[in-house]
Amino acid sequence: MRALLLTSLLLTACAHSAHRGLPPPTGKPGAADTVDVPMADGVALRARVLLPKGPGPHAAVLTRVPYPMRGFLDRRCRVFNEYGYACVHQTVRGRGR
């Protein structure tokens, strides 16, 4: 878990400096989709899923935030996609739709 968080922070920081210090990206961002994910108590949480191009399966980075899912978060997801990771942003309870 700690390694995933550190990787997330590293890739986010590098996204604004042209991936400085990282190996060249191995792929390209792919399709994005918004889905409702049902929880055990019946509440559906909205999630935005961005997949890298190419065949899966892909390891995924999950972010749960009370903020809008587009803009900065989509740009960060595209960096993860370029390195072969799927990216999922899920809104927390009481936010979003």
Side-chain angles (χ1 to χ4, degrees):
M1 181 69 149
R2 178 179 274 173
L4 184 58
L5 177 60
L6 292 175
T7 301
S8 174
L9 293 173
L10 172 67
L11 289 176
T12 300
C14 292
H16 298 290
S17 61
H19 309 180
R20 183 180 56 211
L22 292 175
T26 58
K28 296 184 186 268
D33 195 13
T34 302
V35 297
D36 289 328
V37 181
M39 301 291 106
D41 62 359
V43 172
L45 298 181
R46 179 69 40 107
R48 185 161 170 78
V49 180
L50 289 91
L51 298 173
K53 284 187 179 177
H58 304 285
V61 175
L62 171 64
T63 305
R64 298 190 73 222
V65 296
Y67 309 110
M69 293 183 280
R70 297 188 187 260
F72 169 74
L73 297 175
D74 276 1
R75 286 190 300 275
R76 185 173 78 171
C77 265
R78 295 194 193 296
V79 174
F80 286 126
N81 284 176
E82 289 175 359
Y83 286 90
Y85 290 91
C87 189
V88 180
H89 288 300
Q90 189 177 53
T91 55
V92 298
R93 290 175 184 268
R95 303 293 293 189
R97 295 185 182 178

